[in-house]
Amino acid sequence: TPHYVVSSQLGPAHARHFVVEVRVGERVWASGEGRSKSEASQAAALAAMAVFEASGVDDAAAGGAIVGMDLDT
């Protein structure tokens, strides 16, 4: 299953910028950016799904990540 890791958090409290990585095991599949953790997580999930589709990776090879992808994070 995928998990989301905040890899950076920049800016002052009133104007934060987050970068979130989607990982399956130790592998980073994609990252996303946003003004909130949720926005960055959603961007990362969409980017990971695009990577999976473009590379022809099936759900089993991705460790169940495609089925487990949560776009409402």
Side-chain angles (χ1 to χ4, degrees), residues 22-70:
V22 176
R23 296 181 181 198
V24 177
E26 295 300 313
R27 182 173 178 182
V28 176
W29 283 89
S31 64
E33 300 181 25
R35 292 172 32 187
S36 68
K37 289 179 188 175
S38 177
E39 186 178 295
S41 294
Q42 288 178 11
L46 288 171
M49 289 175 65
V51 168
F52 294 150
E53 290 174 1
S55 65
V57 172
D58 66 10
D59 191 54
I66 298 170
V67 171
M69 201 64 67
D70 182 4

